[in-house]
Amino acid sequence: MNYCNFGEILKNLRKSRNLTQKELGAKVGLSKAVVSKYENGMGYPTYDALIRIAQYFGVTTDYLLGVASGKTVDVSRLTDSQIDTIHQLIAEFNKVTT
């Protein structure tokens, strides 16, 4: 795992939700100390913990590990029409304004 910035990615995701380490830990079944350890690069999560963290933030495990650069959105419970609307919104946000 030398290639990943898991701790930095986790910290950025946590801060984007305005969570403390303790709050994040409570949401994914970890202690504050363990979240701190991960963020400071002093350890890495088990597979189960990695999956829980990914599910909580709605990202892939590849994203958390720094393998994939893009985030994903879980659309498995949406209708095809709703997914199309999401795609249209993303396309609008990605347009370059001049």
Side-chain angles (χ1 to χ4, degrees):
M1 283 195 188
N2 293 333
Y3 56 84
C4 78
N5 296 319
F6 173 74
E8 185 178 319
I9 293 167
L10 179 62
K11 186 175 186 176
N12 289 338
L13 286 170
R14 176 180 62 78
K15 287 186 170 191
S16 75
R17 297 261 179 114
N18 296 315
L19 296 170
T20 65
Q21 291 176 335
K22 183 177 181 178
E23 290 169 332
L24 174 59
K27 293 182 181 297
V28 296
L30 302 169
S31 69
K32 176 199 178 297
V34 169
V35 173
S36 176
K37 187 170 127 176
Y38 294 164
E39 287 185 2
N40 290 303
M42 303 302 290
Y44 296 98
T46 63
Y47 292 128
D48 290 339
L50 183 67
I51 291 167
R52 287 194 310 270
I53 294 167
Q55 288 174 335
Y56 174 75
F57 286 113
V59 299
T60 64
T61 55
D62 280 354
Y63 178 80
L64 284 176
L65 295 173
V67 176
S69 60
K71 292 182 182 180
T72 62
V73 176
D74 180 7
V75 295
S76 61
R77 294 183 178 168
L78 301 180
T79 66
D80 287 343
S81 175
Q82 291 169 324
I83 293 169
D84 288 342
T85 301
I86 297 290
H87 283 284
Q88 291 170 4
L89 285 170
I90 292 169
E92 285 297 317
F93 285 122
N94 285 330
K95 283 184 180 176
V96 178
T97 57
T98 55

